[in-house]
């Protein structure tokens, strides 16, 4: 029996413009709403990310984060 899709949590989120544009593009391409697209990405996180690349990309993002906040 398939799991019922219910939006059970809402939380305030701050995103970069680039991140939000990419989320909207992904949602549009996959014919999902933005919340559904986020749910899909997090429910399937380990299969949609490259484990070898993730650490490197995260390190680059963190290094640039403080500059981007200003």
């Amino acid at each position: 029996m398939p799991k019922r899709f219910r939006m059970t949590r809402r939380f305030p989120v701050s995103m970069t413009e680039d991140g939000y544009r990419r989320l909207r593009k992904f949602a549009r391409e996959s014919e999902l709403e933005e919340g559904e697209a986020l749910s899909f990405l997090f429910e399937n996180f380990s299969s949609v990310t490259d484990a070898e690349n993730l650490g490197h990309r995260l390190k680059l993002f963190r290094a640039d984060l403080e500059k981007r906040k200003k």
Side-chain angles (χ1 to χ4, degrees):
M1 180 175 224
K3 284 193 268 182
R4 187 164 175 234
F5 189 83
R6 291 184 346 175
M7 294 294 205
T8 59
R9 303 281 186 261
R10 293 187 181 272
F11 58 101
V13 176
S14 295
M15 295 183 76
T16 63
E17 270 302 311
D18 290 342
Y20 186 61
R21 275 195 298 269
R22 186 61 190 107
L23 171 63
R24 288 178 42 201
K25 180 180 178 188
F26 171 70
R28 204 172 41 252
E29 290 172 352
S30 56
E31 299 178 357
L32 297 170
E33 294 176 7
E34 292 164 12
E36 295 168 338
L38 275 176
S39 291
F40 168 79
L41 290 171
F42 282 105
E43 286 180 16
N44 299 285
F45 188 77
S46 59
S47 63
V48 297
T49 58
D50 179 351
E52 292 178 18
N53 197 21
L54 179 63
H56 175 69
R57 299 295 278 167
L58 186 56
K59 184 178 177 182
L60 291 174
F61 182 79
R62 281 191 202 143
D64 195 38
L65 191 57
E66 285 305 315
K67 287 184 274 182
R68 294 172 76 178
K69 287 182 179 180
K70 295 178 184 178

